[in-house]
Amino acid sequence: MTDKPLCVDLFCGSFGWSQGWLELGGRVIGFDIDHQSYHGPVPRGADLMLQDVRTLNGAQFKDASLILASSPCQEFSYRAMPWKRAKALGPPLLGIELFEQAARIQREAIEAAGHHIPMIQENV
């Protein structure tokens, strides 16, 4: 166990969002479904968990100081293209689901902690 403040990085990829947290002396647990070679090595002070965020229980993050979430944006981005084929697609269901899963994880963490845990969430 460590007394360093914990950041949970959902859809962590190459840990780009949480790098500043690490540089300030915090620790990071990152979650993603894979880790590609172009992501580079897992940064020092971070742990990578290969797990689908849809299977996470947010209560396990009751000790987190911050939750970051940057869910995949490909479905949203493609639909914003000016092509007729892109405009004809239905709603980006997976993208919406993953965005909502991050909010669920935060709610569960807050409930377990008994206090607010901030989350920064972005998508296109």
Side-chain angles (χ1 to χ4, degrees), residues 29-67:
I29 299 175
F31 291 86
D32 218 320
I33 58 170
D34 62 14
H35 190 75
Q36 301 295 327
S37 60
Y38 57 80
H39 287 143
V42 174
R44 185 173 179 197
D47 292 307
L48 172 64
M49 308 302 286
L50 295 178
Q51 186 173 349
D52 189 325
V53 300
R54 294 175 289 187
T55 67
L56 296 175
N57 181 335
Q60 67 186 322
F61 307 126
K62 64 182 174 54
D63 296 325
S65 298
L66 176 66
I67 298 172

Side-chain angles (χ1 to χ4, degrees), residues 13-98:
S14 60
F15 290 86
W17 259 41
S18 55
Q19 187 62 45
W21 191 268
L22 291 168
E23 290 173 10
L24 290 171
R27 64 187 175 108
V28 173
I29 299 175
F31 291 86
D32 218 320
I33 58 170
D34 62 14
H35 190 75
Q36 301 295 327
S37 60
Y38 57 80
H39 287 143
V42 174
R44 185 173 179 197
D47 292 307
L48 172 64
M49 308 302 286
L50 295 178
Q51 186 173 349
D52 189 325
V53 300
R54 294 175 289 187
T55 67
L56 296 175
N57 181 335
Q60 67 186 322
F61 307 126
K62 64 182 174 54
D63 296 325
S65 298
L66 176 66
I67 298 172
L68 298 175
S70 183
S71 55
C73 62
Q74 290 88 340
E75 284 186 318
F76 297 101
S77 297
Y78 184 79
R79 283 162 177 77
M81 295 294 128
W83 313 311
K84 192 182 256 187
R85 185 174 179 186
K87 298 292 183 195
L89 293 173
L93 298 178
L94 178 60
I96 292 168
E97 179 188 1
L98 294 176

Side-chain angles (χ1 to χ4, degrees), residues 85-112:
R85 185 174 179 186
K87 298 292 183 195
L89 293 173
L93 298 178
L94 178 60
I96 292 168
E97 179 188 1
L98 294 176
F99 193 83
E100 291 172 347
Q101 288 295 315
R104 173 192 58 80
I105 289 167
Q106 181 199 27
R107 283 191 308 273
E108 292 171 353
I110 289 170
E111 184 177 313

